[in-house]
Structure formats: C-alpha cells, structure tokens
Amino acid sequence: MLPFALGVVVIGGLALALLDRETKNQHDKFQHKQRQFRRETENHRAKIQAAMQCSVAYQQYKQYIEMHYASVQTANQAFELYASAKHVLDQLYNQLNISGEQIMLLKQQRQQQQGTDHRETTHQSLQQQYDIHRELKLSIEAYKQQKNAYYLDIKKLNEATSELKQYIRNNTGKPGREWYARLQQRRA
C-alpha cells in the first residue's frame, strides 16, 4: 500500500506540477489574448472614430456643395430677373421716345388748328399723352431701382459663392480639392 500511496503522491505532485504548468500556460495565453484583444479593440475604436470623422467631414463637404449649388441657382435666377428688368427698361425707354414724339406732333397739330373745338380736343389728347409720358417716367424709375437692386444682389451673392467655393477647396480635404479642380476644368 505504501508503494501505491507513494505513487498517488508522486502522481498527485506531478498533477499539481502539471496543473501549475497548465495553469501558467492558460494564464499566459489569457494575458496574450487580453493584450491582443485590447490592441484590436483600440484599433477598431480608432478606425470607427476616423470613419465617423470622415463621415462628418464628408457630410459637411456635401452640405457645402449643396449650399454652393443653391447659391449658383439663386444667382442665376437673380440674373434672369435683372436681364428681364433691363429688357423692360429698354422697352419703356422706347415707349417714352414714342410718347415724346406724340407730344411734339400734338403740339404742332394744336398750333396749326384754328377752331377752339379742335384745339380743345387736341389739348385733351396732349394732356393724356403728358399723363402717359409721366407714368412711363415713373415706371422707368421703378424698374431702374429694381434692376440696380438685382445687380447688387447678384454681386453680393457671387462674392459669397466665391468665398464658399474657396472654403470648400481649403477646408474639406481631398474631396473639396477634387471638386474645385473639376469646377475649374468646366469653367475653362
């Protein structure tokens, strides 16, 4: 029995030694995996953070591009209104010239007329033409003011759009620089 007990003690001691070595191996594996897990976790967290920052930067880039496009569209509409006001002004000036010619004709006609009835009728026509002439001048002034306001709006909007374009190029990274280059190529 003693040899059996001694065998159990030796096997038990070996088991403890093996268990200790196994425990140590398990512990070393655990620590290695823990370090690896921490590195991977930190790496993934950094990638996620970078992706989120890229995403935010990309969203800002897209937002600025949309603002630039809307600004260009608004400037185009303002220019159409400006061109329309300019065209109306040209037409009003033309009508003013015609009205002036009508006034001159009516004055000449009135001077050549002998009877008071005919002169009175011509005088009334002349007064109506004066009223039309005055209305045309008022309309011209109003359209001039509108045209000038559109011009100033276009100028301010174009300046702001240009600043936005430069901001996109300088502050939104590679996508902004590439967008700016494409924009410049289209203009050339």
Side-chain angles (χ1 to χ4, degrees):
M1 220 64 143
L2 186 60
F4 178 72
L6 188 58
V8 169
V9 170
V10 172
I11 292 177
L14 275 177
L16 281 176
L18 287 177
L19 185 60
D20 284 341
R21 189 181 317 160
E22 186 65 31
T23 302
K24 185 173 179 349
N25 284 343
Q26 287 295 324
H27 179 70
D28 290 344
K29 284 181 184 179
F30 173 78
Q31 285 183 337
H32 174 73
K33 286 190 178 204
Q34 184 179 16
R35 283 190 302 270
Q36 182 180 0
F37 174 75
R38 284 185 181 154
R39 278 192 307 267
E40 287 177 7
T41 301
E42 185 60 32
N43 188 23
H44 286 300
R45 190 180 67 71
K47 284 181 182 179
I48 289 169
Q49 192 70 22
M52 285 175 29
Q53 286 176 347
C54 284
S55 177
V56 168
Y58 187 73
Q59 291 302 318
Q60 286 177 339
Y61 159 76
K62 284 297 207 182
Q63 180 183 7
Y64 290 135
I65 297 300
E66 289 172 9
M67 278 193 291
H68 182 270
Y69 178 74
S71 182
V72 168
Q73 294 299 102
T74 302
N76 288 343
Q77 289 173 353
F79 182 78
E80 287 175 14
L81 289 170
Y82 171 78
S84 179
K86 192 173 178 185
H87 177 73
V88 170
L89 265 173
D90 290 342
Q91 295 299 316
L92 286 172
Y93 276 121
N94 188 33
Q95 289 297 319
L96 189 66
N97 288 337
I98 292 170
S99 175
E101 291 171 3
Q102 280 295 108
I103 289 172
M104 294 303 288
L105 287 173
L106 286 170
K107 282 181 176 181
Q108 288 173 356
Q109 187 178 12
R110 184 180 65 182
Q111 288 176 352
Q112 294 172 356
Q113 291 176 336
Q114 300 295 339
T116 57
D117 288 340
H118 291 299
R119 279 184 76 128
E120 185 60 34
T121 304
T122 304
H123 181 71
Q124 287 176 356
S125 295
L126 189 57
Q127 285 303 316
Q128 287 175 345
Q129 197 60 47
Y130 279 138
D131 291 342
I132 291 170
H133 201 78
R134 191 172 27 261
E135 288 296 320
L136 285 169
K137 284 183 176 182
L138 291 173
S139 294
I140 287 171
E141 263 319 297
Y143 271 96
K144 272 185 181 178
Q145 288 177 3
Q146 285 181 338
K147 182 187 77 138
N148 292 338
Y150 291 139
Y151 177 77
L152 290 175
D153 288 344
I154 291 167
K155 189 175 178 179
K156 288 177 186 176
L157 197 53
N158 284 343
E159 288 172 1
T161 303
S162 179
E163 289 174 13
L164 179 59
K165 180 174 63 172
Q166 298 302 320
Y167 183 86
I168 292 168
R169 181 187 70 180
N170 296 331
N171 297 303
T172 60
K174 184 179 178 184
R177 289 187 299 276
E178 290 173 349
W179 170 83
Y180 183 84
R182 286 189 307 272
L183 190 65
Q184 294 303 100
Q185 281 180 334
R186 282 193 299 255
R187 294 181 120 199

